Amino acid sequence: MKRLGVLLSGRGSNFAAIADNIVQGRLTGCQIAVVISNKADAAGLVAARERELKALAIEARGRKRAEHDAEIIAALKEHQVDLVILAGYMRLLSPEFVQAFPERILNIHPSLLPAFPGLDAQEQAFNYGVQVAGCTVHFVDEELDHGVIVLQKAFPVHEGDDSQALAERILEQEHIAYSEAIGRVLSGEYRVVGRRYVRNAK
Amino acid sequence: MKRLGVLLSGRGSNFAAIADNIVQGRLTGCQIAVVISNKADAAGLVAARERELKALAIEARGRKRAEHDAEIIAALKEHQVDLVILAGYMRLLSPEFVQAFPERILNIHPSLLPAFPGLDAQEQAFNYGVQVAGCTVHFVDEELDHGVIVLQKAFPVHEGDDSQALAERILEQEHIAYSEAIGRVLSGEYRVVGRRYVRNAK
């Protein structure tokens, strides 16, 4: 059984989708070992405890990034985490954090990267007038929304969409894509060539 | 019958696809009024003459952009062109050119803009490791690969793709997308809101 460590800052809807997918057998061979939030009042921690998962608040406020990250790294190692899952974790990771879990940290972003990195990607995309939207699961490296891409899902922007409707459809797709990407990475059946993620032939 | 003016610099495979689609009735209500190349030896001019289309070389070499553009604008106006189609036209248009045909110049680009503007977009995308590739038909404005998006097509990068195989698949999709976008624009059944192209409800 591979062990996932989830980091979140808010309600963690992607965390909930992953937990549901594990319980319902759509994502197999792994369990959630620990859920950590940098905010003690994150709704995602409540949701984790309701699921009887280990849930920790490691408050970031008023602390240096390196010190805070070191405490999170220690907690992840203590729980013997194989893969770190960012699920709405609203803090940049320090280089030391990234180096502690090389190609072992995943993030999901609500656009077809490299288009629309950063905050409010759905609204950026809508206002740009894209006709195709999407989401991207990628390894985290030391640049924002930049690491090797594991999986992207694309779908059309609908005629009647507003920014909110598009954002909701992107989130639905994220809930599917993230578990699929976790399964791919945990399988180990891939290699990274340059910055291309290439699945091994079956 | 709406009149298209095509600008190209090379073989103009997108021009040939549009011409074929008109002949075969897949793109209706328009004809190609003139094909213009900035290079006298462009294979696309030969292809245009073989199709018994009006084909002009207006050499750019050694001339100022404004003067060269003015001559092309004059030729397009003389041929009463309703819509200007860039089909591998390897020159930036001057602001005067863009302003002479406001929202009446289309270009196609082999990526899902705003990702991978500029040259060798297919190779840029492949090397970046995207899992979804595409092409974009857009109105031309005064910035490179930037105008309002009329149509995008997206499709997966295949496991076995190399850069060349991906480029070929993108080109196939361009040949479909460009005619579809021309039909949409000529229909007039759309409006531009901010920089979003919105089709009118039927």
Side-chain angles (χ1 to χ4, degrees), chain B residues 60-70 91:
Chain B
R61 205 177 310 161
R63 302 179 62 189
K64 289 187 176 155
R65 183 184 309 274
E67 184 189 314
H68 181 247
D69 274 5
R91 264 172 89 79

Side-chain angles (χ1 to χ4, degrees), chain B residues 25-163:
Chain B
R26 286 190 294 264
L27 174 59
T28 58
C30 65
Q31 58 186 313
I32 294 174
V34 64
V35 177
I36 301 173
S37 173
N38 62 320
K39 291 174 186 283
D41 61 355
L45 287 179
V46 177
R49 291 188 187 111
E50 283 171 1
R51 286 178 161 80
E52 300 186 343
L53 296 171
K54 185 71 178 284
L56 303 177
I58 301 182
E59 271 283 357
R61 205 177 310 161
R63 302 179 62 189
K64 289 187 176 155
R65 183 184 309 274
E67 184 189 314
H68 181 247
D69 274 5
E71 191 174 345
I72 293 181
I73 293 167
L76 292 168
K77 300 241 173 196
E78 185 194 330
H79 289 85
Q80 296 175 288
V81 161
D82 297 294
L83 190 62
V84 179
I85 308 296
L86 305 189
Y89 185 64
M90 301 303 284
R91 264 172 89 79
L92 288 175
L93 303 190
S94 61
E96 293 72 24
F97 198 147
V98 173
Q99 286 152 21
F101 295 93
E103 273 178 18
R104 286 286 150 206
I105 310 173
L106 285 177
N107 187 36
I108 192 161
H109 185 81
S111 76
L112 291 171
L113 289 172
F116 311 116
L119 292 176
D120 299 324
Q122 307 94 326
E123 200 175 346
Q124 287 185 56
F126 182 79
N127 291 336
Y128 196 89
V130 297
Q131 306 265 334
V132 176
C135 61
T136 302
V137 183
H138 63 92
F139 287 122
V140 173
D141 68 8
E142 287 150 39
E143 293 179 53
L144 178 69
D145 300 329
H146 176 267
V148 166
I149 292 168
V150 176
L151 183 67
Q152 294 186 301
K153 285 202 184 284
F155 34 90
V157 177
H158 293 167
E159 305 285 314
D161 272 343
D162 58 17
S163 173

Side-chain angles (χ1 to χ4, degrees), chain A residues 10-190:
Chain A
R11 66 195 174 109
S13 82
N14 271 304
F15 149 65
I18 292 163
D20 288 347
N21 284 333
I22 290 173
V23 167
Q24 292 162 21
R26 286 189 296 265
L27 174 58
T28 57
C30 64
Q31 59 186 313
I32 295 174
V34 63
V35 177
I36 301 173
S37 172
N38 62 320
K39 290 174 186 284
D41 61 355
L45 288 180
V46 177
R49 291 186 188 114
E50 282 172 359
R51 286 178 161 80
E52 301 185 344
L53 296 171
K54 184 73 178 279
L56 303 177
I58 301 181
E59 272 282 358
R61 206 176 310 163
R63 302 177 64 189
K64 288 188 177 154
R65 183 184 309 276
E67 184 190 315
H68 181 247
D69 275 5
E71 190 174 345
I72 293 181
I73 294 168
L76 292 168
K77 300 241 175 197
E78 184 194 331
H79 288 87
Q80 297 175 287
V81 161
D82 297 295
L83 191 61
V84 179
I85 308 296
L86 305 189
Y89 184 65
M90 302 304 283
R91 265 172 89 80
L92 288 174
L93 303 190
S94 61
E96 292 71 24
F97 197 146
V98 174
Q99 287 153 21
F101 295 93
E103 274 178 17
R104 285 288 151 204
I105 309 173
L106 286 177
N107 186 35
I108 192 160
H109 185 81
S111 75
L112 291 171
L113 289 172
F116 312 116
L119 291 175
D120 298 324
Q122 307 95 326
E123 199 174 348
Q124 288 185 55
F126 182 78
N127 291 336
Y128 195 89
V130 297
Q131 306 266 334
V132 175
C135 61
T136 302
V137 182
H138 63 91
F139 288 123
V140 172
D141 68 8
E142 286 151 38
E143 294 178 54
L144 179 68
D145 299 330
H146 175 269
V148 166
I149 292 169
V150 175
L151 182 66
Q152 294 185 303
K153 286 201 182 286
F155 36 90
V157 177
H158 293 168
E159 305 284 315
D161 271 343
D162 57 17
S163 173
Q164 182 61 31
L166 179 62
E168 284 168 16
R169 274 213 330 291
I170 294 174
L171 189 59
E172 280 171 24
Q173 292 295 316
E174 287 181 51
H175 291 168
I176 299 165
Y178 214 164
S179 291
E180 192 178 332
I182 290 167
R184 286 189 187 186
V185 170
L186 291 179
S187 78
E189 292 297 319
Y190 68 93

